[in-house]
Amino acid sequence: MTKLQDLFEKNAQWAERIKSEDPDFFSKLSNQQNPDYLWIGCADSRVPANEIVDLMPGELFVHRNVANVVLHTDLNCLSVIQYAVDVLQVEHIMVVGHYGCGGVAAALQNQQLGVIDLWIRNIRDIYYNNRDHIDSLSTQQARVDRLCELNVMQQVQQVSRTNVVQNAWARGQKLTVHGWIYGVGDGLLKDLIEPITGVEQIPEQYRVLKITPAK
């Protein structure tokens, strides 16, 4: 059996196991998705979103990319945020990084790496703005892990500064943005910052004009 055939076998076994636990699971799932959460995480294969928080399919809306970056020029990520907030009406957005992130580690390297350089440029900016603090740490692993934390904090700000999120707050929608980090070595999540629940927690220069919803 090839590796790909093995995946089909595992899929069939998984589907049978789910149906044995809840015969109507897939019929209910096919009719709607109603998650309360949007997870913006890293594409690292060691960080599977649903498994980490023990949620079933349909309970967690997920967007993943290298180093859990939120760019205001990334239409993919912004479209996911808009769909999650405006259509699915999620109540929580979690930006979730992880210790030992390869994308973050690459941002600390003073060399050309390829296309990834364009993607991690803003992580390099985070390092530059915090270089005295990061460089004072005793080991390279400590420096990478601290930049992983600072990157999550910055991406939380990026999410909170989007028109989609601020317009949701303006119309009274309940929405909270969180910054978490995951330990690959112990499987545990850590909350890094106070959640952001409204525009008053955002610097004034990043607040967008209130848009009154059409009646």
Side-chain angles (χ1 to χ4, degrees):
M1 179 180 294
T2 68
K3 289 184 177 181
L4 291 181
Q5 289 173 326
D6 185 50
L7 292 181
F8 281 102
E9 287 290 331
K10 289 180 182 298
N11 166 249
Q13 294 166 10
W14 170 79
E16 284 301 316
R17 185 171 67 251
I18 295 295
K19 286 187 288 186
S20 69
E21 297 169 358
D22 181 358
D24 298 325
F25 178 82
F26 289 110
S27 60
K28 292 184 293 187
L29 189 66
S30 64
N31 290 325
Q32 66 173 357
Q33 63 168 329
N34 189 33
D36 291 324
Y37 316 100
L38 167 60
W39 173 292
I40 300 176
C42 183
D44 193 301
S45 62
R46 301 168 297 172
V47 191
N50 283 70
E51 286 88 341
I52 287 172
V53 288
D54 197 22
L55 292 178
M56 293 293 290
E59 296 181 317
L60 187 70
F61 200 56
V62 178
H63 174 79
R64 296 171 67 181
N65 61 51
V66 173
N68 44 271
V69 170
V70 178
L71 298 177
H72 286 187
T73 54
D74 180 5
L75 297 182
N76 184 1
C77 182
L78 295 180
S79 297
V80 169
I81 293 173
Q82 181 172 26
Y83 187 79
V85 172
D86 292 351
V87 179
L88 298 177
Q89 301 275 300
V90 299
E91 295 187 4
H92 300 275
I93 299 175
M94 299 93 75
V95 178
V96 187
H98 66 96
Y99 291 119
C101 179
V104 172
L108 281 171
Q109 298 180 33
N110 187 23
Q111 59 180 301
Q112 186 178 140
L113 301 171
V115 175
I116 191 66
D117 291 318
L118 302 174
W119 186 253
I120 63 174
R121 169 60 187 273
N122 86 88
I123 306 178
R124 284 181 167 148
D125 290 341
I126 297 169
Y127 164 66
Y128 182 79
N129 291 330
N130 297 275
R131 62 193 181 281
D132 291 341
H133 166 56
I134 293 172
D135 290 346
S136 71
L137 300 175
S138 59
T139 67
Q140 179 66 6
Q141 187 62 57
R143 290 188 284 272
V144 170
D145 286 348
R146 182 53 179 157
L147 186 54
C148 288
E149 294 177 340
L150 293 172
N151 180 50
V152 168
M153 297 176 192
Q154 180 60 37
Q155 305 316 319
V156 167
Q157 293 297 322
Q158 293 287 85
V159 171
S160 302
R161 295 169 186 176
T162 63
N163 291 21
V164 171
V165 168
Q166 293 191 38
N167 288 340
W169 286 329
R171 61 179 176 259
Q173 185 172 334
K174 184 179 179 181
L175 182 63
T176 303
V177 186
H178 308 264
W180 298 352
I181 195 158
Y182 174 72
V184 176
D186 61 14
L188 297 177
L189 288 166
K190 182 169 73 173
D191 202 349
L192 289 175
I193 60 173
E194 180 180 351
I196 298 178
T197 58
V199 71
E200 66 278 356
Q201 294 173 261
I202 301 171
E204 188 171 356
Q205 63 267 32
Y206 294 109
R207 300 176 189 176
V208 299
L209 294 175
K210 178 179 178 181
I211 299 177
T212 303
K215 295 182 179 180

Coordinates of all heavy atoms in Angstrom, one line a residue, residues 39 46-55 96 180 182 187-189:
W39 N -9.5 30.7 14.3 CA -8.1 30.4 14.7 C -7.2 30.9 13.6 O -7.3 30.4 12.5 CB -8.0 28.9 15.0 CG -6.6 28.4 15.2 CD1 -5.6 28.3 14.3 CD2 -6.1 27.8 16.4 NE1 -4.5 27.7 14.9 CE2 -4.8 27.3 16.2 CE3 -6.7 27.5 17.7 CZ2 -4.0 26.7 17.2 CZ3 -6.0 26.9 18.7 CH2 -4.6 26.5 18.4
R46 N 3.0 20.5 13.1 CA 3.0 20.0 14.5 C 1.9 20.8 15.3 O 1.8 20.6 16.5 CB 4.4 20.3 15.2 CG 5.5 19.5 14.5 CD 6.8 20.0 15.0 NE 7.0 21.4 14.7 CZ 8.1 22.1 15.2 NH1 8.9 21.6 16.0 NH2 8.2 23.4 14.8
V47 N 1.2 21.7 14.7 CA 0.3 22.6 15.4 C -1.1 22.4 14.8 O -1.6 23.4 14.1 CB 0.8 24.1 15.3 CG1 -0.1 24.9 16.3 CG2 2.2 24.2 15.7
P48 N -1.8 21.3 14.9 CA -3.1 21.1 14.4 C -4.2 21.7 15.2 O -4.4 21.3 16.4 CB -3.2 19.6 14.4 CG -2.4 19.1 15.5 CD -1.3 20.1 15.6
A49 N -4.8 22.7 14.7 CA -5.7 23.6 15.5 C -6.8 22.8 16.2 O -6.9 22.9 17.4 CB -6.3 24.6 14.5
N50 N -7.6 22.0 15.5 CA -8.7 21.4 16.2 C -8.3 20.4 17.3 O -8.9 20.4 18.3 CB -9.6 20.6 15.1 CG -10.5 21.4 14.3 OD1 -10.0 22.2 13.5 ND2 -11.8 21.3 14.5
E51 N -7.2 19.7 17.0 CA -6.8 18.7 18.0 C -6.3 19.4 19.3 O -6.5 18.9 20.4 CB -5.6 17.8 17.4 CG -6.1 16.8 16.4 CD -6.2 17.4 15.0 OE1 -6.2 18.6 14.8 OE2 -6.2 16.6 14.1
I52 N -5.6 20.6 19.1 CA -5.0 21.2 20.3 C -6.1 21.6 21.3 O -5.9 21.6 22.5 CB -4.2 22.5 19.8 CG1 -2.9 22.0 19.1 CG2 -3.9 23.4 21.0 CD1 -2.1 23.1 18.5
V53 N -7.2 22.1 20.8 CA -8.3 22.6 21.7 C -9.4 21.5 21.8 O -10.5 21.8 22.3 CB -8.8 23.9 21.2 CG1 -7.8 25.0 21.6 CG2 -9.2 24.0 19.8
D54 N -9.2 20.4 21.2 CA -10.1 19.2 21.3 C -11.5 19.6 20.8 O -12.5 19.3 21.5 CB -10.2 18.7 22.7 CG -10.8 17.3 22.8 OD1 -10.8 16.6 21.8 OD2 -11.3 17.0 23.9
L55 N -11.6 20.2 19.6 CA -12.8 20.5 19.0 C -13.1 19.7 17.7 O -12.1 19.3 17.0 CB -12.9 22.0 18.6 CG -13.0 23.0 19.8 CD1 -13.0 24.4 19.3 CD2 -14.2 22.7 20.7
V96 N -2.7 32.5 17.1 CA -1.9 31.4 17.8 C -0.6 31.2 17.2 O -0.5 30.6 16.1 CB -2.8 30.2 17.9 CG1 -2.1 29.2 18.9 CG2 -4.2 30.4 18.4
W180 N -2.4 34.0 21.7 CA -2.0 32.8 22.4 C -0.7 32.2 21.8 O -0.4 32.5 20.6 CB -3.0 31.7 22.3 CG -4.4 32.0 22.9 CD1 -4.7 33.1 23.7 CD2 -5.5 31.2 22.8 NE1 -6.0 33.0 24.1 CE2 -6.6 31.8 23.6 CE3 -5.9 30.0 22.2 CZ2 -7.9 31.3 23.7 CZ3 -7.1 29.5 22.3 CH2 -8.1 30.1 23.0
Y182 N 1.6 28.4 21.6 CA 1.5 26.9 21.9 C 2.9 26.4 22.1 O 3.8 26.7 21.3 CB 0.8 26.3 20.7 CG 0.8 24.7 20.7 CD1 0.0 24.1 21.6 CD2 1.6 24.0 19.8 CE1 -0.1 22.7 21.6 CE2 1.5 22.6 19.8 CZ 0.7 22.0 20.7 OH 0.7 20.6 20.7
G187 N 2.6 20.7 24.6 CA 1.2 20.6 24.2 C 0.3 21.6 24.8 O -1.0 21.5 24.6
L188 N 0.8 22.6 25.5 CA 0.0 23.5 26.2 C -0.1 24.9 25.6 O 0.9 25.4 25.0 CB 0.5 23.7 27.7 CG 0.4 22.4 28.5 CD1 1.0 22.7 29.9 CD2 -1.0 21.9 28.6
L189 N -1.2 25.6 25.7 CA -1.4 26.9 25.2 C -1.2 27.9 26.4 O -1.5 27.6 27.5 CB -2.8 27.1 24.7 CG -3.2 26.4 23.4 CD1 -4.7 26.4 23.2 CD2 -2.5 27.2 22.2

